[in-house]
Amino acid sequence: MRTSIQLKIVMIYLSVIMIVMMIIGTFIVYNIEERDYKSIQSDLQELADEIKVRLNWQTQKPNLEDIKSRINVIHVNHIYILTPEGKVDAGTNSELLIGETVKSEVVIRAINTKKPATAAIVHFANKNTGPKYTDHATPIVDPYTNEITAIIYVAANIARVYENMSEVIKTLAIGSIVAMGIAVLFGIAFSKMITAPIKQLTANAKKLAAGDLIKRMPIESNDEIGELTQSFNYMAIKLGHTMEAIISEKNKLEKIFEHMADGVMAFDREGVLIHTNSICYEMLGSLNMDHRFNYIFPKLGMKVSFEQLLKGGETVAAGEILEVNGRYLSMHFASYASAKDEPDGLVVVMQDVTKQQKLDQMRKEFVANVSHELRTPLTTVKSYTETLMEGAIENTELAMNFLSVMDKEADRMTTLVHDLLELSRIDNHQIQLNFKKLDLQKLVEETLEAQVIHIDKKGHKLIYETDGAKSYNIQGDQVRIKQVLHNILSNAIKYSMDPGTIHIKIFKGKDVAICIQDTGIGIPDQDLDRIFERFYRVDKARSRKMGGTGLGLSIAKELVELHGGCIKINSKVGKGTTVTLHFPISN
Ligand code: ADP
């Protein structure tokens, strides 16, 4: 059970008062008892001396009643004259019979020492069980024979001593009760002085613990309590500063977490998710704060044990790549320690490496494509050369045929290498563009002039029109723009199998645009998104047969963008394709 300071102080006060009163009481009772005893005993002694004097000059047996009545002996109840052996010779009382031996210790002492003897004082005796009398014996010694001739034995009732004692004890008891009552009142008052500020401190400490940063407490005294209040105020201020620092640090960390490009998850030592940032939700989709590690990761197809990772120390697993919802995530796990340096939980950092993965993939595909594109013409050239060397060269017609195929393949390789170099220059920003004011209409017409022979050859109908604007001036590199127009137009001619219509239109709005529309084979929807990728072709065999490298559209796109423009493509399978080029106007 909890005892309050107030009660303790009151109890201490009471105990002190009780102890003091008991010690003082004991001394007082002892002294009063001794004083009373001594007064009775000196009366007895005086009486015995007086009787002795009288007996010395009286020859006849003394009349004790007479003596008793004549001398002032208030307390004396018994006067006896004893024989030298201690037997009653004469007495005022009939309690001891004549001839009866007196068994008192004082009589024995008087006989033995031949000197007066007084009973010892009995302190703190009980009224009922203690002695009722105190006695005295004076021997009368013959000076000539030195023999005891008689013994005067007197005894007095000590009831008065007991009465006085009980009076004193009663007074002391009343005094003690009053003193204790006063002590209780003072104790309560004093303890309140001490406990009131302590109670206030306790209340404020509780508020502080609950996170309520209270204002400073007034210092009302310069004693220990005042010092404690001062220390408390100092502690509250320090705590306030620490809390502010922690909160600001927490806010900072939360902001960092929130704006990190990497996903961060923290698990407690039980493996329960306790913290995460929003990017994690984007990366992993469904995720709840109370989800467990052993539920989240096996579901993603990752074989990791939370317990092992927790034991594993600092960075226990790094860089494992996981494919989740079309993204590639590089996973890093690290356990964090508690203040006691024991593993307290796990932090998981997820990096989105989709871009790198895709780039890596594209690089691999690119190398494979280039190798493949070069291998086909090389194989053809090699096999035709061998055939010629084996004797086909003798047959002039066949040899010419072979040589023309080899020439075509060499052209293909040259075109391919040229296209690759062009792309490489664009990638490395090494391309030199000779910008100047160009009339786009003129460039379109020049390109058409060069291609019209192919259009005619395939039996296509050509529609060419403009929206009637005064000029279609742009800033650009003439050779590159012509190259773009050539690529797009030759595609429209190439991929229109049956004779169709090629419709070219130049118009001016917020920019200068050229629309090249054909009624060819079209491009399936699923290929449209990837059509500008390098080497991407809807039908590889067909493209190759037509002398295509799969780089025309990607080069066109890069070049248009280098001119600050853009390229758009719309297509429907079996209906045709529309490619629109936009260039910024130059006046
Ligand atoms: P290629 O050298 O193969 O023509 P491009 O980069 O010019 O390479 O074009 C890529 C692919 O886009 C072509 O292989 C073809 O499948 C498709 N394509 C381009 N233009 C057209 C078009 N006008 N009609 C149909 N398909 C087209």
Side-chain angles (χ1 to χ4, degrees), residues 40-287:
I40 294 170
Q41 283 176 342
S42 86
D43 281 354
L44 286 176
Q45 223 167 323
E46 273 173 29
L47 176 65
D49 288 346
E50 204 172 326
I51 294 169
K52 189 178 163 186
V53 172
R54 286 178 191 228
L55 281 179
N56 279 345
W57 50 265
Q58 275 181 2
T59 46
Q60 76 271 35
K61 246 189 175 177
N63 184 345
L64 297 176
E65 281 304 325
D66 179 40
I67 290 170
K68 191 181 171 187
S69 68
R70 277 192 289 128
I71 53 178
N72 180 24
V73 279
I74 318 141
H75 312 295
V76 181
N77 299 76
H78 306 272
I79 304 173
Y80 295 98
I81 304 294
L82 309 180
T83 63
E85 294 77 34
K87 288 179 181 167
V88 177
D89 192 16
T92 54
N93 284 48
S94 54
E95 250 174 63
L96 294 170
L97 299 171
I98 303 293
E100 191 183 330
T101 306
V102 179
K103 285 175 190 128
S104 170
E105 184 257 331
V106 290
V107 176
I108 298 165
R109 251 200 296 148
I111 294 170
N112 291 340
T113 60
K114 293 177 183 163
K115 282 184 180 148
T118 307
I121 298 170
V122 182
H123 282 291
F124 307 115
N126 187 287
K127 188 180 171 185
N128 301 316
T129 56
K132 289 196 170 34
Y133 297 97
T134 182
D135 48 6
H136 174 84
T138 299
I140 300 172
V141 183
D142 187 329
Y144 301 104
T145 59
N146 197 29
E147 289 295 322
I148 296 173
T149 53
I151 298 164
I152 302 160
Y153 175 66
V154 285
N157 195 320
I158 53 166
R160 197 189 70 175
V161 176
Y162 289 123
E163 269 167 34
N164 277 353
M165 262 172 57
S166 75
E167 279 296 315
V168 169
I169 290 169
K170 222 190 268 175
T171 314
L172 279 171
I174 293 168
S176 300
I177 289 167
V178 172
M180 285 195 322
I182 293 168
V184 169
L185 294 178
F186 271 85
I188 291 170
F190 283 141
S191 58
K192 257 196 182 160
M193 276 165 63
I194 297 169
T195 54
I198 293 178
K199 275 184 183 165
Q200 207 185 335
L201 269 175
T202 313
N204 282 347
K206 278 183 186 166
K207 275 192 204 166
L208 202 65
D212 183 3
L213 296 173
I214 38 140
K215 51 183 184 295
R216 291 181 64 170
M217 271 178 66
I219 300 164
E220 276 156 7
S221 60
N222 57 359
D223 55 8
E224 287 85 346
I225 301 273
E227 228 172 274
L228 182 64
T229 314
Q230 205 171 359
S231 303
F232 182 85
N233 283 340
Y234 179 69
M235 186 188 78
I237 292 166
K238 273 259 157 201
L239 204 65
H241 289 161
T242 314
M243 288 293 285
E244 274 170 26
I246 289 173
I247 290 168
S248 120
E249 195 64 19
K250 189 174 160 262
N251 290 344
K252 195 169 81 191
L253 281 176
E254 267 174 14
K255 272 278 163 307
I256 292 173
F257 272 148
E258 232 10 78
H259 293 92
M260 261 173 84
D262 297 341
V264 179
M265 287 196 273
F267 294 87
D268 66 9
R269 71 170 73 187
E270 308 300 329
V272 177
L273 183 62
I274 50 169
H275 191 91
T276 184
N277 57 358
S278 46
I279 196 93
C280 277
Y281 293 96
E282 270 177 45
M283 287 174 168
L284 301 182
S286 65
L287 192 67

Side-chain angles (χ1 to χ4, degrees), residues 491 494-495 518 523 531 536-538 543 548-550 552-553 577:
N491 276 351
K494 266 195 297 188
Y495 298 108
D518 64 56
I523 303 166
I531 209 74
Y536 193 85
R537 289 174 283 196
V538 178
S543 153
T549 58
L553 278 184
T577 305

